[in-house]
Amino acid sequence: MKFNAVYVIVAREFKKFIRERSRLISTLARPLVWLFLVGAGLSRLVRPVEGVSYTQFMFPGILGMTMLFASIFSSISIIWDKEFGFMKEILVAPISRLSIVLGKALSGTIVSSIQALIILLFFPLIGLRLGIFEVVEVALICVMVSFCISAFGIVLATFYESYESFSVIMNFIVMPMFFLSGAMYPIKLLPEVLRLVAMVNPLTYGIDALKHIVSPLETGPMGPDFPLIADISVIAFLSTAFVLLGARFFERKG
């Protein structure tokens, strides 16, 4: 693996992100709308549990939403690179496929982590109290989850050749991932079939890990669904698996 190649890919994607300010604004607007409009509306229907409002319950899910969309958008830029021939130039370069996948995954991680941390700054406005150590822990979890989702997005992108497939990815993969992640409702309260589907969703474990740190509830219907060590272990395992799968699929197409 060549670290210079990884650095070049990360630097290119990060420069694209800085230059596209409309992209940053639009990706931040979505979670804020959900947090302050949808959350405020549903808080009128769902009674607080042990002093925790529905808006506070869904805050980890809003962080997860931010990372999910930002990571997937960043990763599927590979499809755009394929259409314009840039990916072909990378694939013929004397660098390993693993370097390409790591570069893309790390660039997606940086972009989506920054956006998630911006959303995190809104926690005082919904009545949550987090100390500096909790903020650092949330930041570390966000980095892990962003890397995992970015690597997953790269695996997806290897199967598509045109940007018209974007709507397929959004409607049949990204949106179900969000709604079956515990972001809007606890996994433990889902029907059996949907609960099983949610348990193979990598975002489920990321949001659950955030609940351990952000939510004051340790048990109950609004508390975390899995132990924190299980969440972190699954995210680490899936991240490794997605990187290796992405490199493998790129190898075949190369």
Side-chain angles (χ1 to χ4, degrees):
M1 185 175 66
K2 294 187 176 181
F3 291 100
N4 285 344
V6 175
Y7 170 76
V8 168
I9 294 172
V10 171
R12 174 181 179 267
E13 297 296 326
F14 190 65
K15 285 181 180 177
K16 281 174 58 182
F17 170 68
I18 293 175
R19 291 172 180 171
E20 296 174 356
R21 294 181 182 177
S22 58
R23 173 184 166 190
L24 174 62
I25 293 172
S26 63
T27 50
L28 290 179
R30 181 186 298 106
L32 291 177
V33 167
W34 276 79
L35 181 63
F36 291 111
L37 298 186
V38 179
L42 291 177
S43 292
R44 299 288 183 179
L45 298 174
V46 182
R47 293 181 178 180
V49 176
E50 299 180 20
V52 176
S53 68
Y54 183 77
T55 305
Q56 293 171 331
F57 161 77
M58 71 183 295
F59 189 65
I62 296 301
L63 293 175
M65 167 197 273
T66 308
M67 291 183 283
L68 173 65
F69 282 86
S71 299
I72 293 293
F73 284 160
S74 179
S75 298
I76 62 174
S77 67
I78 290 175
I79 300 174
W80 194 268
D81 290 339
K82 287 179 181 177
E83 284 205 343
F84 285 89
F86 181 75
M87 183 53 64
K88 187 177 292 183
E89 294 180 12
I90 294 181
L91 291 175
V92 298
I95 57 176
S96 67
R97 304 302 189 249
L98 185 60
S99 300
I100 299 172
V101 173
L102 276 179
K104 283 287 186 180
L106 287 175
S107 60
T109 301
I110 294 171
V111 169
S112 59
S113 296
I114 290 173
Q115 296 180 45
L117 293 179
I118 292 174
I119 298 299
L120 178 62
L121 297 177
F122 288 88
F123 76 84
L125 298 182
I126 59 172
L128 286 172
R129 296 180 179 178
L130 299 178
I132 185 65
F133 291 109
E134 284 83 7
V135 171
V136 172
E137 288 174 347
V138 170
L140 292 175
I141 296 293
C142 286
V143 170
M144 291 185 65
V145 176
S146 297
F147 184 84
C148 183
I149 302 298
S150 297
F152 173 69
I154 292 169
V155 173
L156 282 180
T158 59
F159 291 97
Y160 297 95
E161 298 295 332
S162 70
Y163 219 71
E164 283 71 23
S165 54
F166 175 78
S167 60
V168 176
I169 295 174
M170 284 298 300
N171 293 327
F172 294 99
I173 298 176
V174 176
M175 295 308 295
M177 280 182 69
F178 171 64
F179 286 114
L180 292 176
S181 64
M184 301 295 293
Y185 22 74
I187 297 297
K188 59 175 73 73
L189 300 184
L190 289 174
E192 182 67 23
V193 174
L194 295 181
R195 188 161 64 243
L196 292 175
V197 175
M199 291 180 70
V200 299
N201 179 0
L203 186 63
T204 297
Y205 301 94
I207 291 177
D208 198 67
L210 290 172
K211 287 179 182 176
H212 278 281
I213 303 168
V214 173
S215 174
L217 300 176
E218 296 181 358
T219 58
M222 285 191 175
D225 295 285
F226 311 104
L228 179 59
I229 187 66
D231 294 327
I232 294 175
S233 299
V234 171
I235 294 169
F237 171 77
L238 290 178
S239 299
T240 306
F242 290 144
V243 167
L244 295 177
L245 281 175
R248 177 69 175 171
F249 293 150
F250 266 117
E251 196 75 42
R252 287 184 178 181
K253 292 177 183 296

